[in-house]
Amino acid sequence: MEFITYETEGEIGILTINRAEALNALNSQVLNELERALEDVDLKKIRVLILTGAGEKAFVAGADIGEMRGLTKAEGEAWGRKGNAVFRKLETFPVPVIAAVNGFALGGGCELSMSCDIRICSENAVFGQPETGLGITPGFGGTQRLARIVGIGRAKELIYGAGKIKAEEACRIGLVNHVYPLEELMPAAKRLARAIAGNAPIAVRSSKKAINEGLWADMDQALEMEEKLFGGCFETHDQREGMTAFLEKRKADVFRNQ
Ligand code: CO8
């Protein structure tokens, strides 16, 4: 792949978008490669993914404006559909995905980060949905996910105003969970990933599914789904071991994902 690198550290997978000449902007090749990279992740081994951008300036500075400028209405819609499909794949990826936002996360970059489970960022990060200033709407899920994460009022202000916000403000409104000096961002992302990877994978994956799917269901259906996922954890090796270790006042053995 030309624009995506994938490395692993134990049970952590690290995907890096690397198109430095355009501040990691998403053209169709980057989106295709990201989709393929997700398909290639070995889910038997990997328990958490980290997604970041190459360099010290940008996570992703948006969808590629040069590629979009001449699109017809039908092509614009198809481009939105493509982005939504890839981002949805990320959002519903079986294991948690941490966005380590290392600079500009604008337009499609902000939307990409919002498709991840958890966002942390560096002090130089800048978030925003500048699309209305370019004559389009946010088209990779931004009109839907931003409001769900930061609330309707703030989302509308950011989108209608094509505003940009700095890391501290993004943290204050709940768009990111933590802010770090740039050099501490990846170590922090890996610490968080290791902490998650240390817990029972079936329980973590089921929790992700329950939270994500329950958010859009009515409460009764959501709780029914939770009951099924909760029940599904029992009789697993990791449930027996986790509870037995507690009762025997010892540390649990390494969870086996079974
Ligand atoms: N697309 C294409 N190229 C880009 C993009 C982009 N989004 N962002 C930066 N670049 C390129 C620049 O053109 C420049 O290239 P070159 O060196 O060849 O001139 C290079 O990256 C470096 O950028 P700058 O020189 O502009 O760097 P600065 O530090 O001066 O500025 C900024 C950094 C502020 C990030 C600035 O580059 C910028 O404003 N970029 C555009 C940000 C933006 O508007 N993003 C939103 C794009 S629209 C979008 O994402 C829609 C998503 C949904 C699509 C749905 C379709 C239906």
Side-chain angles (χ1 to χ4, degrees), residues 26-214:
L26 304 170
N27 61 15
S28 22
Q29 188 180 340
V30 178
L31 275 188
N32 285 333
E33 290 188 10
L34 180 58
E35 187 171 30
R36 197 142 47 85
L38 289 173
E39 282 160 7
D40 288 348
V41 171
D42 179 358
L43 287 167
K44 288 206 178 72
K45 186 172 159 226
I46 294 302
R47 296 184 179 187
V48 184
L49 269 188
I50 297 173
L51 178 66
T52 193
E56 301 193 338
K57 197 167 164 185
F59 173 67
V60 166
D64 191 299
I65 297 170
E67 203 181 73
M68 285 188 293
R69 182 174 55 171
L71 296 184
T72 62
K73 286 182 195 300
E75 287 165 343
E77 189 177 330
W79 177 230
R81 195 175 309 119
K82 170 76 187 172
N84 278 338
V86 178
F87 287 17
R88 190 78 176 121
K89 192 167 259 187
L90 193 61
E91 185 171 50
T92 58
F93 203 63
V95 302
V97 185
I98 299 168
V101 178
N102 56 311
F104 291 110
L106 298 173
C110 186
E111 293 168 303
L112 179 64
S113 77
M114 290 192 292
S115 305
C116 299
D117 294 272
I118 297 170
R119 285 157 295 287
I120 61 174
C121 75
S122 53
E123 288 166 344
N124 65 330
V126 177
F127 293 81
Q129 298 289 162
E131 286 92 339
T132 56
L134 294 164
I136 57 172
T137 60
F140 287 169
T143 59
Q144 304 309 308
R145 294 194 180 94
L146 187 59
R148 287 168 162 123
I149 294 171
V150 304
I152 293 173
R154 287 190 205 285
K156 285 182 171 173
E157 185 180 339
L158 268 168
I159 291 173
Y160 301 167
K164 296 189 180 85
I165 54 171
K166 293 186 174 164
E168 283 306 331
E169 175 68 357
C171 193
R172 197 182 67 78
I173 67 173
L175 185 54
V176 298
N177 291 9
H178 306 284
V179 182
Y180 300 94
L182 183 59
E183 65 280 9
E184 288 172 27
L185 178 65
M186 280 311 283
K190 289 177 188 176
R191 265 198 316 278
L192 178 57
R194 278 194 297 272
I196 295 170
N199 290 322
I202 292 168
V204 171
R205 293 175 192 197
S206 298
S207 298
K208 170 168 178 168
K209 201 171 160 60
I211 294 169
N212 278 2
E213 293 182 15

Side-chain angles (χ1 to χ4, degrees), residues 218-230:
D218 78 39
M219 192 54 128
D220 291 320
Q221 285 173 335
L223 290 174
E224 203 176 304
M225 183 185 52
E226 187 193 68
E227 288 155 17
K228 288 197 167 47
L229 288 162
F230 175 67

